[in-house]
Amino acid sequence: MQNEPEITSQLVKDHGLTSDEYRRILDLIGRPPNFTELGIFSVMWSEHCSYKSSRPFLKKLPTEGPRVLQGPGENAGVVDIGDGLAVVFKIESHNHPSFIEPHQGAATGVGGIMRDVFTMGARPIALMDSLRFGELDEPRTRFLLNGVVDGIASYGNCTGVPTVGGEVYFDSCYNGNILVNAFCLGLAKADRIFLAKAGGVGNRILYVGSKTGRDGIHGASLLASSEFDETTEDKRPTVQVGDPFTEKLLIEACLEIMEFSWVVGVQDMGAAGLTSSSFEMAHRSNAGVNMDLSKVPLREEGMTPYEILLSESQERMLFVIEPGHEEEATAILEKWGLDAAIIGEVTDELGVRIQFEGKEVVNLPTLPVVDGALDLKRETERPEYLDQVGHLNLTELPEPARGDKAFTKLLACPNIASKEWVYEQYDHMVRLNTLVLPGSDAAVIRIKDTKKAVALSVDCNSRFCYLDPYEGAAIAVAESSRNVVCSGASPIGLTNCLNFGNPEKPEIMWQFEQAVRGMGDACLYFDIPVVSGNVSLYNETKGEAIFPTPTVAVVGLIEDQSKVMTAGFKQSGHCIGLIGFTMEELGGSEYLKVLFDRNEGKPPVLDRKHEKQVQDFCLELIQKGLIQSAHDCSEGGLAIAVAESCFGAEEGALGATLELESTLRGDALLFGETQSRIVISFPEELTDQIEDLALSYPVDFSLIGKTGGSQFTASINGKEYIKQDIESAKEIWKTSLGRYAGQTT
């Protein structure tokens, strides 16, 4: 092409490729690439698309199981739930775009993850988000928080897909690099799953959706695959712009066209746009593709082949259909008001040839482009900071005589306070399938025309992962699994979003290696297959990396909707019980951070055998109808868990009296974050039956108090430790985040 820049070493560097990678390109294709081809290699060999730093570790995750219909490698994972149905789900990051332009970055993250799901032939039925921001006293944090929440709300609400749960955390490590991880779950017929393939010589390539513009160019390679610096704000034009109303039309049109047998394959145009979708579909089918970019619907004049191929304009799909059905397909798409065009066909050449205005602009083999980036064997080294923060001497930590101050400060801190200010902006009831609303341990979605329901939870304690990436990642798996169990579900599949700093630093790769190993070992033990996921690296600004944040979302199956359980106490006079035991552990706890501004020590010990017994016992109690509530103990410990069950009571706010016997420190007993604990409530007459069942496992179980009254009180060895009015405590917990966010006075 005329007027294309000369390929120089600086241009190669500007495209995020190293000199070694460029030499590899020359060896693989036997000639220098032209400018457009260089752009293709830039995006396809980027960290975001090629997983060149993480792939060797990810291969060790357990991905198979009797219910798994499709594991990692496709747009989303697919798990069989019986009755001829399957759930399709994935979680993915949109971190860097959301930091630069929070509304559109978060909105297009939601749109992209929905397309990953309905690309597989599934109707999206639920969204969740895992969000992490910097300290709330930073003015930019409020701006980012408001922008991200508004972006998620506007996109999800407009498409008619409920946002039913998630998590929001705040820590100074995210001051320069927030995390926005979006999850979507869809429902499909188990025998009608669509894959991103382009098999069949002569099959047509059908472009569907919005017109292509210049937004999002190099979003995957230069924005998502590099750390932030002083030029970050200059990258604002690479953030895509979303249109949720077009996405809604796209969902309906795609699901309608997928009813026909002449649809061969589907791929959404996500990261790397038309480039990734065309090359990946051809590669997966061991086929080739010829395309004419002159036929691509454009919304801007003068776009070059380079721009058309690398654009990440939203709400676009690529279909492969059998010849003879072109008019039928375009008629359906035009009915929904969508652009549609036949832009090419499948060949047997094992390469991609692309024309523009009568001239060939790209001629590349698929294998080098899709799978040619080397698996990088990054160096790993245990970080030195662990020698400074890895120990906590409790004898040197002052123990308060009472816990009232700690209790109220924890209720007010943004990591524990109610997230109602966030989720009240989301439509979580659209389609009327949400059985358990945001605020409980897990969201629960009913499966229409069956007795079944699915439970969804997303979790990660990044402080634990900072102090011990292996144990922290294992705890994330255990907690997410425990949350769906508390709702009455059996875990059936997991998706992850692995957020880390710059992989070129040995300490970061050590964190990544340890976290993936911890996650894999926990999944193996709990028999939960990893069916999909995403890796987000370079979450780092001016050399300061985020805490390792391997976010985990677990999906559980409830065979009988009548057995759904929630966290809130149901009525006065019920017994409060604790499944599991408490240890003297304060390392990495919210209590240690909020009261002493310290983040150190070892995270709580995770005994996998004990965790499994606790979960199995709780699930049996739910299925036998022996308990009225179940709530996981996590941030803030036992006192906060019981308080949250009080706040979630059906009567509004129900008090509780705890009477504990222990030799532990009072703060460790009530605010420590020992794992494998669940708070339950039940009628007193069922006590013997529950205790007998606990002995048969065996699993630790103890009576710790009663529901009722207008106070939250906790006594240790007969001495009062906490006494608070329950309505006042709930008000603190309910309103704090809104005040921090600057939305309420």
Side-chain angles (χ1 to χ4, degrees):
M1 294 294 292
Q2 294 180 347
N3 302 320
E4 283 194 344
E6 179 186 355
I7 307 299
T8 64
S9 58
Q10 184 59 49
L11 188 65
V12 170
K13 183 179 179 181
D14 290 343
H15 277 70
L17 294 164
T18 66
S19 56
D20 286 343
E21 286 175 323
Y22 185 68
R23 284 192 293 270
R24 179 168 171 78
I25 292 170
L26 298 179
D27 291 340
L28 288 172
I29 67 174
R31 61 174 174 82
N34 62 37
F35 179 62
T36 302
E37 292 172 336
L38 180 69
I40 288 172
F41 276 106
S42 171
V43 293
M44 295 302 290
W45 284 19
S46 68
E47 191 69 58
H48 188 77
C49 291
S50 71
Y51 285 34
K52 55 192 176 185
S53 296
S54 59
R55 194 160 41 180
F57 302 103
L58 301 178
K59 292 177 180 177
K60 299 176 182 179
L61 292 171
T63 59
E64 298 179 350
R67 291 185 179 271
V68 177
L69 301 179
Q70 177 63 55
E74 278 288 336
N75 289 290
V78 185
V79 178
D80 195 322
I81 61 170
D83 292 334
L85 299 172
V87 285
V88 180
F89 57 93
K90 186 183 181 182
I91 189 170
E92 195 162 55
S93 63
H94 228 224
N95 302 334
H96 287 184
S98 299
F99 183 79
I100 292 174
E101 212 301 299
H103 179 98
Q104 289 296 345
T108 53
V110 173
I113 197 64
M114 281 199 286
R115 288 193 297 280
D116 280 340
V117 166
F118 70 79
T119 292
M120 307 287 291
R123 175 174 291 280
I125 61 172
L127 295 165
M128 294 193 301
D129 300 282
S130 175
L131 311 177
R132 281 172 168 76
F133 300 95
E135 295 171 302
L136 268 172
D137 58 5
E138 291 281 330
R140 184 168 171 82
T141 295
R142 291 184 175 87
F143 163 73
L144 292 168
L145 171 64
N146 283 277
V148 165
V149 171
D150 186 56
I152 292 169
S154 65
Y155 206 99
N157 294 355
C158 290
T159 56
V161 181
T163 301
V164 297
E167 58 175 2
V168 186
Y169 279 88
F170 301 86
D171 195 281
S172 61
C173 75
Y174 303 109
N175 279 345
N177 201 124
I178 66 173
L179 300 184
V180 176
N181 295 174
F183 167 96
C184 182
L185 178 133
L187 185 66
K189 296 176 182 178
D191 61 353
R192 289 291 289 168
I193 302 300
F194 287 84
L195 305 179
K197 293 185 177 180
V201 174
N203 284 339
R204 304 300 190 244
I205 308 297
L206 175 64
Y207 175 110
V208 177
S210 296
K211 290 180 171 65
T212 295
R214 290 187 171 92
D215 52 320
I217 293 174
H218 273 302
S221 55
L222 302 185
L223 179 60
S225 298
S226 59
E227 62 181 78
F228 284 158
D229 54 27
E230 291 81 358
T231 67
T232 293
E233 291 298 325
D234 298 335
K235 298 176 182 177
R236 187 180 298 272
T238 63
V239 177
Q240 310 95 321
V241 177
D243 180 354
F245 298 105
T246 299
E247 180 96 345
K248 174 60 176 173
L249 297 174
L250 193 61
I251 293 171
E252 301 305 328
C254 288
L255 293 179
E256 181 176 340
I257 203 172
M258 286 172 171
E259 291 293 325
F260 294 93
S261 60
W262 39 261
V263 175
V264 176
V266 195
Q267 171 79 306
D268 78 297
M269 294 190 222
L274 183 56
T275 294
S276 62
S277 55
S278 56
F279 273 88
E280 288 175 358
M281 290 180 81
H283 178 63
R284 286 168 177 163
S285 304
N286 201 30
V289 166
N290 284 352
M291 291 192 301
D292 186 351
L293 298 184
S294 304
K295 298 179 179 179
V296 172
L298 303 178
R299 68 167 181 259
E300 298 185 50
E301 294 182 358
M303 289 189 69
T304 66
Y306 180 99
E307 293 171 325
I308 296 169
L309 285 167
L310 271 61
S311 167
E312 294 184 7
S313 294
Q314 296 293 285
E315 294 88 39
R316 301 180 302 158
M317 310 283 281
L318 207 62
F319 277 75
V320 177
I321 63 173
E322 294 176 354
H325 299 280
E326 295 90 338
E327 291 185 6
E328 192 176 354
T330 53
I332 293 172
L333 297 165
E334 287 172 1
K335 179 188 73 173
W336 288 100
L338 297 171
D339 283 288
I342 301 296
I343 65 170
E345 65 179 22
V346 178
T347 71
D348 58 1
E349 292 187 354
L350 302 184
V352 175
R353 289 176 177 265
I354 300 175
Q355 290 187 331
F356 182 67
E357 296 180 347
K359 297 180 180 180
E360 186 171 85
V361 294
V362 171
N363 184 354
L364 290 172
T366 56
L367 180 62
V369 173
V370 177
D371 209 26
L374 289 171
D375 287 347
L376 299 178
K377 296 181 179 178
R378 304 277 195 191
E379 293 183 12
T380 62
E381 182 179 341
R382 182 179 179 273
E384 292 183 1
Y385 74 78
L386 290 175
D387 295 329
Q388 282 77 50
V389 303
H391 305 283
L392 175 64
N393 188 345
L394 287 182
T395 62
E396 298 176 357
L397 189 73
E399 180 183 358
R402 289 183 61 91
D404 304 272
K405 178 182 176 182
F407 181 66
T408 53
K409 289 192 74 171
L410 285 170
L411 289 176
C413 83
N415 289 345
I416 288 175
S418 170
K419 306 306 184 291
E420 183 176 344
W421 175 82
V422 174
Y423 63 70
E424 71 181 0
Q425 301 181 53
Y426 304 152
D427 187 341
H428 42 263
M429 285 300 294
V430 63
R431 304 189 70 85
L432 301 177
N433 290 323
T434 311
L435 296 179
V436 177
L437 305 180
S440 196
D441 284 307
V444 180
I445 306 296
R446 67 170 175 163
I447 306 300
K448 281 184 177 178
D449 302 319
T450 75
K451 294 175 63 179
K452 301 177 188 291
V454 290
L456 323 169
S457 177
V458 58
D459 293 281
C460 181
N461 187 314
S462 57
R463 286 206 193 107
F464 292 168
C465 295
Y466 173 74
L467 297 172
D468 187 333
Y470 177 91
E471 284 298 324
I475 287 171
V477 174
E479 183 177 352
S480 196
S481 174
R482 197 183 315 133
N483 281 334
V484 301
V485 164
C486 285
S487 70
S490 299
I492 59 172
L494 178 149
T495 181
N496 59 41
C497 193
L498 308 176
N499 307 274
F500 290 79
N502 186 342
E504 298 164 35
K505 298 179 179 179
E507 295 83 359
I508 300 297
M509 280 313 297
W510 183 87
Q511 291 176 338
F512 186 88
E513 177 186 37
Q514 292 296 309
V516 173
R517 193 166 64 87
M519 182 176 295
D521 288 351
C523 287
L524 273 173
Y525 193 91
F526 301 133
D527 196 22
I528 307 174
V530 179
V531 299
S532 60
N534 172 236
V535 176
S536 176
L537 302 176
Y538 293 98
N539 290 290
E540 190 160 328
T541 298
K542 298 179 182 178
E544 294 295 322
I546 63 165
F547 286 168
T549 312
T551 305
V552 165
V554 169
V555 174
L557 178 63
I558 301 172
E559 294 286 356
D560 184 352
Q561 294 176 18
S562 67
K563 302 293 186 182
V564 170
M565 185 57 59
T566 56
F569 293 144
K570 302 303 183 289
Q571 65 183 65
S572 297
H574 279 184
C575 294
I576 303 172
L578 177 65
I579 306 172
F581 55 81
T582 303
M583 299 174 63
E584 201 163 72
E585 298 172 311
L586 287 173
S589 66
E590 200 70 24
Y591 170 79
L592 192 65
K593 178 65 177 176
V594 170
L595 271 294
F596 301 95
D597 195 25
R598 293 166 67 174
N599 179 37
E600 56 193 63
K602 294 288 185 184
V605 173
L606 178 67
D607 183 319
R608 289 159 178 73
K609 181 179 179 181
H610 179 58
E611 176 73 43
K612 188 71 167 64
Q613 289 174 324
V614 166
Q615 292 188 22
D616 290 348
F617 177 59
C618 182
L619 199 55
E620 185 169 352
L621 291 177
I622 293 171
Q623 291 171 346
K624 288 184 174 180
L626 296 176
I627 59 176
Q628 297 295 307
S629 70
H631 185 30
D632 162 50
C633 279
S634 55
E635 287 81 8
L638 178 61
I640 297 301
V642 174
E644 289 170 341
S645 290
C646 291
F647 303 153
E650 294 181 352
E651 301 175 8
L654 186 63
T657 301
L658 301 184
E659 296 180 351
L660 307 169
E661 300 290 330
S662 178
T663 59
L664 303 181
R665 293 171 52 122
D667 51 1
L669 177 64
L670 283 165
F671 307 122
E673 296 174 8
T674 294
Q675 293 299 293
S676 312
R677 296 182 300 166
I678 297 173
V679 172
I680 62 174
S681 66
F682 50 90
E684 187 172 4
E685 61 268 21
L686 296 178
T687 303
D688 291 344
Q689 196 171 343
I690 293 173
E691 289 179 337
D692 289 345
L693 188 60
L695 288 172
S696 70
Y697 262 77
V699 66
D700 288 273
F701 172 73
S702 56
L703 292 174
I704 61 172
K706 285 279 186 73
T707 64
S710 61
Q711 302 284 323
F712 176 95
T713 63
S715 300
I716 303 174
N717 301 327
K719 185 178 179 181
E720 186 177 272
Y721 192 74
I722 299 173
K723 184 175 183 180
Q724 295 290 318
D725 176 75
I726 197 65
E727 290 288 355
S728 300
K730 182 177 182 179
E731 183 68 12
I732 293 170
W733 172 79
K734 185 176 180 179
T735 61
S736 291
L737 181 57
R739 289 200 304 271
Y740 281 128
Q743 296 299 302
T744 60
T745 57

